[in-house]
């Protein structure tokens, strides 16, 4: 049987690094206020000339180098993003063009906001296990700075821009052990961007709308449950998990889910303090950081989990 295994990772952050103190000069907030409530210290903001596809393509180049592959070795591209370059075509096809991949491989976007990377990863896994792909490029990339209201201190302090990529390759050994995805549109009003393009205009607000307490309560409950489900359904136990690689939205959410699982924070890859919430990019960014700094090692078991507006959420158990 053919399995899918992570053969390379890469990430990219825009050069412009914005601290909490920088934000305090523009909006009524403080480093203490932000840090206490979120754990965030910094976020990276894309330059006006940088598009989501630029961030995605650079993270992909680094993942390709890490996997020792050429661009044309890729036969599937999936980009998870809620901030695409254009209405259409997909950001994935733009990345395909920027990487110079001329083999005609399928390329498409997945939109599940902060859970997007989980959806993209499980989709790529299915392609490889079915024999439809051998080397899949899976990217989470966002320019969320462009959909936040910089006068709203409850949301503008939370988000940042960035991209993370993995190469998922066919293998004789299991890599993606088990995954589970969920969604419930009944909670769409808790977190959304209601605006849309119609008749040449933006109809409705183009900015993030969020019920912070509602999101927190729902996220902790559902992330804890789906983590439990994936571990149990895979036939594993919590003490077999070497690393939790969670969506980096809020340290208090991460603390709560980690405590529920009975894991030590020493087993958590934590980057929210440096990146803020980069939506679909946050998990692959954190994964790449954990691998590149030597925390995550080959043969270890990783639990990836994320939740985003919709609501959509998921968890994936990976043997790296």
């Amino acid at each position: 049987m053919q399995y899918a295994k992570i053969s390379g990772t890469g990430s990219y952050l825009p050069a412009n690094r914005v601290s909490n103190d920088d934000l305090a000069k523009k909006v009524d907030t403080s480093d203490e206020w932000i840090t206490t409530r979120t754990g965030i210290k910094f976020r990276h903001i894309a330059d006006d000339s940088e598009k989501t596809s630029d961030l995605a393509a650079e993270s992909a180049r680094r993942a390709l180098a890490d996997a020792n592959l050429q661009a044309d070795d890729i036969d599937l591209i999936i980009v998870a993003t809620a901030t695409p370059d254009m209405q259409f075509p997909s950001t994935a096809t733009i990345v395909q063009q920027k990487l110079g991949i001329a083999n005609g491989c399928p390329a498409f976007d997945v939109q599940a906001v902060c859970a997007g990377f989980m959806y993209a990863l499980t989709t790529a896994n299915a392609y490889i296990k079915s024999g439809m792909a051998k080397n899949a490029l899976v990217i989470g990339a966002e320019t969320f700075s462009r959909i936040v209201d910089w006068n709203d201190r409850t949301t503008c302090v939370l988000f940042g821009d960035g991209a993370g990529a993995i190469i998922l390759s066919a293998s004789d050994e299991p890599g993606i052990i088990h995954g589970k995805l969920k969604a419930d549109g009944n909670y769409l009003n808790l977190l959304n961007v209601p605006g849309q393009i119609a008749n040449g205009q933006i109809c409705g607000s183009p900015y993030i709308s969020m019920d912070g307490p509602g999101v927190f309560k729902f996220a902790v409950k559902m992330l804890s449950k789906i983590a439990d489900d994936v571990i149990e359904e895979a036939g594993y136990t919590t003490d077999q998990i070497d690393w939790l690689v969670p969506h980096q939205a809020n340290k208090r959410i991460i603390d709560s889910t980690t405590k529920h699982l009975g894991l030590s924070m020493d087993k958590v890859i934590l980057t929210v303090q440096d990146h803020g919430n980069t939506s679909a990019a946050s998990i692959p960014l954190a994964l790449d950081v954990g691998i590149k700094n030597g925390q995550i090692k080959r043969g270890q078991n990783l639990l990836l989990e994320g939740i985003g507006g919709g609501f959509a959420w998921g968890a994936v158990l990976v043997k790296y």
Side-chain angles (χ1 to χ4, degrees), residues 162-311:
I166 69 164
I167 309 294
L168 205 60
S169 298
S171 173
D172 294 332
E173 300 177 354
I176 306 299
I177 304 301
H178 185 58
K180 189 168 188 175
L181 304 175
K182 300 283 285 184
D184 191 338
N186 288 310
Y187 295 89
L188 65 91
N189 289 328
L190 291 180
L191 180 59
N192 60 56
V193 177
Q196 58 177 293
I197 298 172
N199 302 314
Q201 299 181 32
I202 298 174
C203 300
S205 171
Y207 298 126
I208 294 169
S209 172
M210 184 176 71
D211 173 352
V215 171
F216 181 90
K217 183 178 179 181
F218 190 89
V220 170
K221 178 181 178 181
M222 293 307 175
L223 286 175
S224 297
K225 185 178 187 312
I226 203 163
D228 284 339
D229 289 347
V230 166
I231 292 170
E232 181 181 349
E233 290 169 12
Y236 279 57
T237 58
T238 303
D239 60 10
Q240 291 177 280
I241 305 301
D242 295 296
W243 291 103
L244 176 67
V245 188
H247 169 45
Q248 309 285 321
N250 183 309
K251 187 175 182 296
R252 291 193 301 142
I253 294 175
I254 296 171
D255 288 343
S256 296
T257 53
T258 302
K259 182 179 179 180
H260 171 85
L261 288 169
L263 288 174
S264 164
M265 285 300 293
D266 292 338
K267 287 191 169 187
V268 180
I269 301 298
L270 196 64
T271 60
V272 67
Q273 68 278 0
D274 298 318
H275 304 160
N277 184 348
T278 55
S279 187
S282 78
I283 292 174
L285 265 169
L287 179 65
D288 186 52
V289 168
I291 291 170
K292 295 300 177 6
N293 68 17
Q295 290 174 281
I296 297 173
K297 297 177 173 59
R298 282 291 178 187
Q300 291 186 324
N301 297 318
L302 321 176
L303 182 64
L304 284 52
E305 60 170 12
I307 187 167
F311 269 98

Side-chain angles (χ1 to χ4, degrees), residues 32-40 153 216 250-252:
E32 188 275 335
W33 191 91
I34 299 169
T35 303
T36 300
R37 289 161 178 78
T38 70
I40 297 168
R153 75 168 188 168
F216 181 90
N250 183 309
K251 187 175 182 296
R252 291 193 301 142

Side-chain angles (χ1 to χ4, degrees), residues 91-164:
T91 302
T93 58
I94 300 171
V95 170
Q96 183 185 44
Q97 183 269 332
K98 288 183 175 179
L99 294 178
I101 298 175
N103 59 17
C105 70
F108 56 89
D109 290 356
V110 169
Q111 215 288 46
V113 203
C114 304
F117 187 74
M118 298 291 88
Y119 274 65
L121 181 60
T122 53
T123 301
N125 179 50
Y127 265 77
I128 290 176
K129 289 183 72 175
S130 70
M132 293 176 65
K134 290 184 178 179
N135 292 301
L137 174 59
V138 186
I139 306 171
E142 303 282 15
T143 49
F144 252 56
S145 63
R146 291 167 186 162
I147 58 171
V148 296
D149 180 353
W150 289 99
N151 295 310
D152 178 8
R153 75 168 188 168
T154 65
T155 56
C156 75
V157 302
L158 302 176
F159 298 96
D161 304 332

